[in-house]
Amino acid sequence: MAQKKYLQAKLTQFLREDRIQLWKPPYTDENKEVGLALKDLAKKYSDKLDCCENEVENIIEEIRCKAIERGTGNENYKTTGIATIEVFLPARLRKDRKSLLETRLHVTGRDLRSKIAETFGFQENYIKIVINKKQLQLGKSLEEQGVTHNVKAMVLELKQSEEDVRKNFQVEEEEQNEAELKEKRIQRMKRGLEILAERAEMVDPETMPYLDIANQTGRSIRIPPSERKALMLAMGYHEKGRAFLKRKEYGIALPCLLDADRYFCECCRELLDTVDNYAVLQLDIVWCYFRLEQLECLDDAEKKLNLAQNCFKNCYGENHQRLVHIKGNCGKEKVLFLRLYLLQGIRNYHSGNGEEAREYLSKASQLFKELYIDPSKVHNLLQLGFTAQEARLGLRACDGNVDHAATHISNRREELAQIRREEKEKKRRRLESIDSLRRMGYSAHAAKRALHQTSGNLEEALKFLLSNPHLWWLHGSESDTNGHQGSPAQESIDQLVYMGFDTVVAEAALRVFGGNVQLAAQTLAHHGGTLPPDLQFSGEDDSSTPSTSPSDSAGTSSASTDEDMETEAVNEILEDIPEHEEDYLDSTLEDEEMIIAEYLSYVEHIKSAPKKN
């Protein structure tokens, strides 16, 4: 298959260079049948490539037929508005010819999915469509989603391909149940990631799991609130996608990776240059397309690989000097460059660029030799109590020296333990400050925002809140008070009057702040005995807040169920988030070794071919 793609790409290059239009005479007659001149063309190119003439002729004929189909589709689109979509099917259903589908662009994504399912024999609810590197949204029209004439659409299945070919009713029922479970699994995954992202800085690290973002040393990175959730979701989806990649569930991995890419795009460029996650994601997306045998469906594979290379350069520095300065070595990160060079070699080969492919594949092969680990050395480290993952990472960091690797792993364990202790202590101090502000009557949201604005300084945060009392009001429902009192207690009014505040103003302040004397007094004192204009009438509407109704208790069971579901969703996410912070750098390189050997055999054949002329 790979060799055929190379020949197709090479022949397409020759046709362009020679400005040959296969859809016109003498290669196509008036009935759109193949002309005799095509044989002469096949002879010319087969001699040039030193390939079988029949094979070249067949591929040129495929290119000619596709050109005629495209021309017919273009004419049809101009006259009727019916667009042609090139559908890329899963490997088990794909034929030599691409599958074309006609549709109008005002239909919804759901309509297109139904048509694809009906045309190619899928169960509609258990396929996903990827167009322009995005999942097709079912509720929007194709036009709204940027779908155009001659676009490429890739079909992903949620079921195991081996089971799909069975006809037994019981087996089909099992397949349907499996697909439903996978779809539910995806939905739980999305909810779990959202919960973890929303928790952010508001949880106790000792009692509740959360997601954090660290730099290459393992220390947390301060992220602007406007970008934090997007970055958390991006990294969460990426980790989940990587977990599916490890299990070789590429059809489920790809949507996760594409979602991660979408959320990363919401973050600023400067932020992405501080961590290598975005570069690794680009590699994972291209790798996933390749493993799905759909690399030709990714029009910008070259762009993604170049983006990864540039991100690595910005993150690691020229010739990795920044990485070496931070970590003392760059041995572990070479795994990423091996995959980068391998994918660049594969892409060039599929594009008909034999020499460029050979150059990148040779680089990948050389790196593989450097990164290969003697199993006996791993065994020696296992005997010392280290994990296989730690052993591989340590040996690559220390150029295969077992003693140095043991010291490296031990030191790294202690460094990370110290960093975790410091980060937990920092987080605990922050939570204590939030609790202090909440005890004063401020909501958790307001406290968090004030502390962020003042770099964690409790005294300055209090001044910030007093200067911006609307922050408390806007999120008052989150505070410890249980709603705003319609009629403040006379005792509370008397307390404020005793402090020197006007009776009417005191009562209004207590209405606004739910009867909290301390908060009302602080605000009035800060504003010279008056209530700020934006708060003077804010408490009026809450006087009618209903008390607990019988229906509230009826909802307890439902709330408990929802909480259980959220816990389940979070736990599923946590199961796939690796414990080791450098898990993404760990690889046995078994797959890469076989693929390098396979593609090197292809390019070596190309290299030797001219010698036969």
Side-chain angles (χ1 to χ4, degrees):
M1 179 62 74
Q3 290 167 305
K4 182 178 179 181
K5 288 177 181 177
Y6 171 79
L7 275 178
Q8 286 173 331
K10 204 67 183 174
L11 289 169
T12 301
Q13 284 181 9
F14 290 162
L15 292 168
R16 286 174 180 164
E17 290 169 3
D18 295 342
R19 297 184 179 181
I20 290 175
Q21 299 175 321
L22 292 176
W23 61 94
K24 293 182 178 181
Y27 309 104
T28 299
D29 62 23
E30 57 186 14
N31 297 318
K32 296 186 178 179
E33 296 295 329
V34 61
L36 295 175
L38 191 137
K39 275 191 172 294
D40 296 332
L41 191 64
K43 176 71 168 64
K44 172 185 172 182
Y45 289 156
S46 64
D47 289 343
K48 194 171 182 178
L49 291 168
D50 195 23
C51 292
C52 172
E53 184 176 334
N54 285 339
E55 184 179 5
V56 171
E57 184 178 349
N58 289 335
I59 293 176
I60 294 177
E61 171 61 4
E62 286 183 16
I63 296 172
R64 186 190 73 85
C65 290
K66 184 176 179 181
I68 292 172
E69 284 178 344
R70 182 177 285 264
T72 302
N74 290 342
E75 291 175 9
N76 189 40
Y77 179 63
K78 288 178 183 177
T79 56
T80 66
I82 297 176
T84 300
I85 293 179
E86 194 172 7
V87 181
F88 288 72
L89 301 171
R92 69 180 184 84
L93 295 176
R94 203 180 317 136
K95 300 177 181 178
D96 289 339
R97 294 279 297 280
K98 300 294 186 302
S99 300
L100 302 179
L101 193 73
E102 292 185 340
T103 182
R104 293 191 180 276
L105 297 178
H106 63 74
V107 303
T108 64
R110 182 173 284 102
D111 294 331
L112 178 62
R113 186 183 69 170
S114 298
K115 191 167 186 178
I116 288 175
E118 181 182 354
T119 303
F120 301 108
F122 296 107
Q123 293 185 43
E124 180 181 341
N125 292 331
Y126 309 128
I127 59 172
K128 290 186 179 293
I129 314 298
V130 175
I131 298 179
N132 295 331
K133 302 176 293 300
K134 296 177 183 176
Q135 286 189 66
L136 189 68
Q137 297 182 48
L138 302 182
K140 291 186 177 182
S141 73
L142 302 184
E143 287 176 322
E144 289 178 299
Q145 299 181 66
V147 178
T148 58
H149 175 57
N150 285 331
V151 77
K152 296 176 180 178
M154 184 170 68
V155 180
L156 299 174
E157 286 185 287
L158 297 181
K159 296 186 292 184
Q160 296 290 334
S161 59
E162 294 83 358
E163 294 177 339
D164 288 335
V165 298
R166 301 177 187 174
K167 301 300 181 183
N168 181 277
F169 175 77
Q170 183 178 356
V171 174
E172 288 181 353
E173 190 176 53
E174 289 174 359
E175 289 174 351
Q176 182 171 338
N177 291 337
E178 180 186 351
E180 289 173 350
L181 287 172
K182 286 190 176 181
E183 180 61 26
K184 289 178 181 177
R185 183 178 170 193
I186 290 171
Q187 295 307 318
R188 282 199 304 272
M189 171 194 70
K190 291 183 177 180
R191 180 58 188 144
L193 284 171
E194 288 173 356
I195 293 168
L196 286 168
E198 287 165 0
R199 285 178 178 175
E201 302 173 350
M202 296 301 299
V203 299
D204 183 347
E206 294 289 352
T207 61
M208 189 175 290
Y210 66 100
L211 293 180
D212 207 353
I213 302 164
N215 59 18
Q216 288 150 359
T217 66
R219 296 187 181 278
S220 295
I221 300 175
R222 184 179 172 87
I223 306 295
S226 59
E227 297 185 15
R228 184 177 180 85
K229 184 174 180 180
L231 188 57
M232 299 280 269
L233 285 169
M235 297 177 74
Y237 275 114
H238 189 189
E239 287 297 347
K240 195 67 182 178
R242 286 183 58 78
F244 287 127
L245 280 180
K246 289 179 183 177
R247 297 195 286 268
K248 302 188 186 301
E249 295 183 62
Y250 303 111
I252 303 180
L254 184 58
C256 294
L257 298 176
L258 294 177
D259 280 340
D261 198 30
R262 176 166 57 91
Y263 283 112
F264 267 124
C265 289
E266 296 179 16
C267 302
C268 66
R269 184 76 254 173
E270 292 77 12
L271 181 60
L272 298 182
D273 285 342
T274 62
V275 290
D276 56 10
N277 303 69
Y278 190 50
V280 175
L281 174 64
Q282 304 311 306
L283 294 185
D284 288 338
I285 289 174
V286 179
W287 181 257
C288 202
Y289 272 95
F290 168 65
R291 298 303 278 175
L292 285 166
E293 299 180 31
Q294 300 279 24
L295 199 55
E296 66 269 35
C297 197
L298 185 62
D299 291 327
D300 66 344
E302 181 180 12
K303 179 182 175 183
K304 284 192 171 298
L305 294 175
N306 288 339
L307 179 59
Q309 192 161 10
N310 290 333
C311 283
F312 285 139
K313 180 180 177 181
N314 293 332
C315 187
Y316 297 158
E318 194 75 41
N319 299 319
H320 308 163
Q321 77 268 20
R322 186 181 303 151
L323 186 64
V324 173
H325 177 72
I326 293 172
K327 289 189 172 184
N329 66 82
C330 61
K332 292 173 284 190
E333 281 72 15
K334 287 182 179 179
V335 167
L336 302 176
F337 288 90
L338 184 151
R339 181 164 285 189
L340 172 64
Y341 297 148
L342 174 56
L343 289 171
Q344 286 174 324
I346 292 170
R347 190 207 66 81
N348 273 284
Y349 182 77
H350 286 195
S351 301
N353 304 321
E355 286 304 309
E356 291 85 348
R358 184 170 61 84
E359 181 182 343
Y360 282 117
L361 290 167
S362 297
K363 279 184 171 183
S365 180
Q366 181 58 40
L367 264 183
F368 174 78
K369 292 173 184 175
E370 291 180 28
L371 295 171
Y372 174 77
I373 295 173
D374 184 344
S376 65
K377 294 182 178 181
V378 175
H379 179 74
N380 290 341
L381 289 170
L382 290 176
Q383 295 297 103
L384 296 175
F386 301 120
T387 66
Q389 184 178 65
E390 287 177 320
R392 285 190 293 269
L393 292 169
L395 287 167
R396 284 177 181 147
C398 300
D399 297 322
N401 187 299
V402 175
D403 293 334
H404 292 174
T407 303
H408 173 84
I409 297 168
S410 298
N411 290 343
R412 185 58 180 158
R413 279 183 174 184
E414 180 52 38
E415 287 172 10
L416 288 174
Q418 180 61 29
I419 289 172
R420 291 189 185 109
R421 286 192 292 269
E422 292 174 4
E423 294 294 333
K424 283 185 178 181
E425 180 59 30
K426 188 190 300 181
K427 194 172 184 68
R428 187 171 288 104
R429 288 197 301 270
R430 178 178 176 79
L431 287 170
E432 288 174 356
S433 296
I434 291 173
D435 287 341
S436 297
L437 291 173
R438 292 185 69 183
R439 284 194 296 270
M440 296 178 192
Y442 296 103
S443 71
H445 184 97
K448 176 184 171 183
R449 180 170 172 182
L451 288 165
H452 181 85
Q453 290 287 338
T454 57
S455 301
N457 187 304
L458 181 59
E459 185 177 342
E460 292 299 318
L462 182 58
K463 291 180 182 178
F464 176 82
L465 286 168
L466 290 171
S467 300
N468 299 274
H470 61 281
L471 290 178
W472 184 91
W473 174 250
L474 288 173
H475 302 279
S477 60
E478 298 177 16
S479 69
D480 293 329
T481 59
N482 296 318
H484 305 288
Q485 295 180 351
S487 300
Q490 187 61 45
E491 181 183 354
S492 299
I493 297 173
D494 291 343
Q495 281 183 271
L496 292 178
V497 171
Y498 182 77
M499 295 178 192
F501 299 115
D502 179 78
T503 303
V504 175
V505 174
E507 184 175 353
L510 287 168
R511 286 180 184 274
V512 169
F513 295 118
N516 188 307
V517 176
Q518 183 179 10
L519 198 56
Q522 288 176 344
T523 303
L524 291 175
H526 188 77
H527 292 274
T530 62
L531 205 57
D534 55 345
L535 293 183
Q536 285 181 8
F537 301 100
S538 56
E540 300 293 332
D541 296 335
D542 274 334
S543 59
S544 61
T545 300
S547 59
T548 303
S549 65
S551 62
D552 293 335
S553 58
T556 304
S557 176
S558 174
S560 176
T561 303
D562 290 343
E563 186 176 336
D564 290 342
M565 291 176 67
E566 289 192 352
T567 300
E568 181 184 354
V570 168
N571 287 339
E572 282 194 17
I573 296 298
L574 296 175
E575 286 174 5
D576 284 327
I577 293 181
E579 293 184 10
H580 200 289
E581 79 286 353
E582 293 181 326
D583 177 82
Y584 71 105
L585 299 176
D586 176 44
S587 173
T588 62
L589 299 180
E590 291 173 356
D591 288 346
E592 286 84 349
E593 179 182 15
M594 291 187 293
I595 295 168
I596 288 170
E598 177 187 353
Y599 276 83
L600 275 177
S601 70
Y602 299 154
V603 296
E604 286 304 318
H605 173 74
I606 296 169
K607 181 183 177 184
S608 61
K611 298 177 182 178
K612 298 179 182 180
N613 289 338

